Amino acid sequence: MTQLILFNVFNGLVVGAFYALMALGLSLILNLSGVINFAHGGFLALGAYLAYTLMPYTGFWGALVVAPVLTAVIGLAIERVLIRPLYGRDPLYSLLLTFGLAYVLEDGARFIWGAQSVPYPIPASLTTPLSTEFFFLTGYRLFMVALVAVAVLGLFFILNRTRLGIRIRAGTLDLETVSVLGVNVRVLRNLNFGLGIYLAGLAGVLAAGMLGLQPTIGTSLIMPSFVAIIVGGLGSLPGTLLGGLLIGVASGLTTVFLPSATEAVIYVMMGLVLLVRPRGLLGEEGRTQ
Amino acid sequence: MSALRQQVPNAVVWLVLLTMPYWMGAVGGYTELASRVVVLGLAAMALNFLLGFTGVLSFGHAAYFGLGAYGVGMTIKYLVPSTPLGILVGAAVGTLAAMVIGALIVKLRGVYFAMVTIAFGQVFFFIAFRWNEVTGGDDGLTGWKRQALDLGFTRVDILGSDKAFYYLVLAVFAACVAAMALLLRSPFGRTLIAIRENERRARFLGIPVEQHIWLSFVISCFFVSIAGTLYALLSNFTDPRALRWDQSGNFVIMAVLGGMRSFWGPLIGAAIFVVLQDYVSSQTENWMSVIGVFFMLVVLFFPRGVLGILRRRLAS
C-alpha cells in the first residue's frame, strides 16, 4: 500500500511538473499581455512532433535542444502576425483567436503526422528502473523532474537577473510606464510570448516520452494548467509552479483511493480555493480583475 | 412611424423563423437543420445575455447546455417518459449548477472569469465521460426518445414529424426570447447594461454589482440549459461532446459573428455557423482546420459581427 501511494504521489509529481511547465508559459503570457493562450496545448503538441521528426537526424538529445527552440520561433511569428493586432482590444478576441488556432494546430498535427499515436523512442539509458523495490523510479522520470526543475530555475534566473526578465516583470506591473521609459513594448511582448511557447515546446518534448504522442496530447494538458494558475495564484509565477505540483500530486493520490475522480478532484480543489481565497494561494492582492 | 420602423426587424425575424421548414428544403437544407439553427440560436442568445448585455465573458456555457441535455435524456430514460417534464428537469439541473458555480466565480473579472468558467466546464465533461453506467460514457446517452406531447384535447406527434418538433422548438424559443427581451427592458436589464458600460461607476451608485452579475449568469445559464434540452431532444441522443469546451467556444463565436451588441445578432451568427459547419463537415475530413481558420478570420476582420457592421453602414 505504501508503495502504491508512493508510486502515485511520484507519478503525480511528474505530471504536476508538466502542468507547472505549461502553466508557467501560459501565466507569463497572461500576466504581461492579458491573453489566455488557448493554443498553448497546440504548441506543446507541435514541440513534441517536431522532436519526433528531428529525432532520426539529431538523436533524442539533439531534438530535446532544437525542438523547443523551433517551436518558440514559430510562436514568435504567430504572435507577430495574428495576436499583435488584438492587444488593447477586449480579451474576448484574443481568446477566440487562440481558440481557432488550437483547432488548426491539432488538426494540422493530425493531417501531417496522422491521428494514431506514434512511437516516441527514449534512450535506453533512461528507461531502466533504478531500484527493484521502487520500480517506478525510472531514469526517465527522474530525468524529467530534474529537467523541469532546471527549466524553472532558468526561467526565474531570466526573470530576476537579465534585462529582458526585469522588463517583463516591470511590464506585468505597469506596461504603460515601461513603455514611456523607452522600452519597445511590442518587442517585449513578442519575446515574452516566445519564452512562454518555448516552455510549452519543452513540456511537449518531455511529455511525449511518458504519455505517448498523439494530436490530442496538448488538449488533455491545457485544462489542468488553467486550474494550476487559478489554484496557485493569479499573477504569481511561484504560485503557478506550486499550483501545478499540488494538483498533480492531488490527482495522483486520488488515483489510489477513488480512481474515477482522478480528473474531477483538481476542479474540486479549484472550487475550494475560489471559495476561501479567490485570488489563489499565492495570488497578488487585487489581481482578480 | 419610427416605432413602427423599429418593429420591422422583429417582424422579418419571426416571419423567417415561422416559415423556415417550408423553404429550407428548396435551398438545400432540411427541417432538422432548421431546428438546429433555432436551438443553437437560443443558446447563443442566452450566452449573449451575459456576454453582450452584462459585459462578462463566459467561456464555459457548454457545461450548462450539456447538463440540460443530460437532464432531459435521463429523465425520459430513467424517470418519466414525458417531454415537458424532461425539459423542466434539464433546465433545473443546469440552473442549479450555475447557481453554485456562479457564486464561486462572481468575484473574478475579465480574463480570469473566462479562465475559471473554462475550467469548471470540464468538471461536467469528466462526470459525463466517466460515469459510464448512468451517462453511457463516451458513447453517449442512448435508448430514449422524445415523447409525443399530450395536450389533453389532442396529441402532438413530435417524434414522427420533424415539422411538428420544429414548431415545438420555435414555441420554446419564442417564450425564452420574449422573457429575455422583457428582462433587458426592465430596470434590472438596464442596470446590467450600466455595469457593462462602467462597472466602477455602477458600484459607486450603490448597485450590488456581484449580485447582478451572479443573477445575470444564472439567467443566462437557465436559457442555455433549455437550449441544451432541445438539442438532446432533436437527435434523441446526447454525448459528452455537448458539454465540452469546444462547444462553449462555438457559442461565443456565434455571438461575435452575428454581433454581440444587438439582440438578434447571435441568432444570425448561429445560422451562419450551423450551416457552415454542416456544409464543411460533409465536404472534408479536416473541418476542424476550416472552422479554426474561420474563427481567426472573424476575429481579425469581422469583430463587430454582421449586425454591428450593418448598423454602422446604416448610421453613416
Side-chain angles (χ1 to χ4, degrees), chain B residues 230-313:
Chain B
L230 296 175
Y231 191 71
L233 290 171
L234 175 62
S235 38
N236 294 314
F237 169 74
T238 187
D239 70 358
R241 267 173 290 279
L243 34 69
R244 211 170 50 181
W245 49 274
D246 40 355
Q247 185 69 275
S248 300
N250 291 349
F251 294 152
V252 179
I253 201 78
M254 286 172 202
V256 171
L257 175 62
M260 55 177 188
R261 286 287 184 265
S262 49
F263 187 71
W264 290 117
L267 178 65
I268 294 173
I272 299 173
F273 187 85
V274 168
V275 172
L276 181 81
Q277 198 181 32
D278 188 64
Y279 177 74
V280 171
S281 56
S282 70
Q283 294 294 314
T284 164
E285 246 175 51
N286 297 95
W287 58 272
M288 254 178 100
S289 293
V290 179
I291 297 291
V293 170
F294 179 74
F295 268 58
M296 297 199 265
L297 291 177
V298 169
V299 167
L300 288 173
F301 302 110
F302 225 47
R304 286 171 190 285
V306 176
L307 285 189
I309 289 172
L310 217 69
R311 195 179 288 172
R312 266 205 155 180
R313 285 271 161 82

Side-chain angles (χ1 to χ4, degrees), chain B residues 172-214:
Chain B
V172 177
F173 172 86
C176 292
V177 162
M180 278 193 274
L182 281 177
L183 277 170
L184 285 175
R185 271 191 211 174
S186 71
F188 170 72
R190 294 286 139 187
T191 312
L192 293 184
I193 294 174
I195 291 173
R196 176 190 83 190
E197 290 301 317
N198 193 332
E199 185 184 326
R200 180 178 288 209
R201 190 175 287 181
R203 199 182 289 279
F204 287 167
L205 285 169
I207 294 167
V209 171
E210 269 82 33
Q211 264 179 36
H212 275 78
I213 291 182
W214 179 80

Side-chain angles (χ1 to χ4, degrees), chain B residues 153-170:
Chain B
F153 55 93
T154 174
R155 274 172 74 86
V156 184
D157 180 21
I158 52 170
L159 182 60
S161 157
D162 279 353
K163 273 194 183 121
F165 181 68
Y166 174 83
Y167 285 104
L168 171 75
V169 168
L170 191 62

Side-chain angles (χ1 to χ4, degrees), chain A residues 226-251:
Chain A
F226 287 147
V227 178
I229 293 175
I230 296 157
V231 168
L234 308 175
S236 157
L237 290 179
T240 302
L241 178 64
L242 175 72
L245 296 177
L246 263 182
I247 61 169
V249 172
S251 61

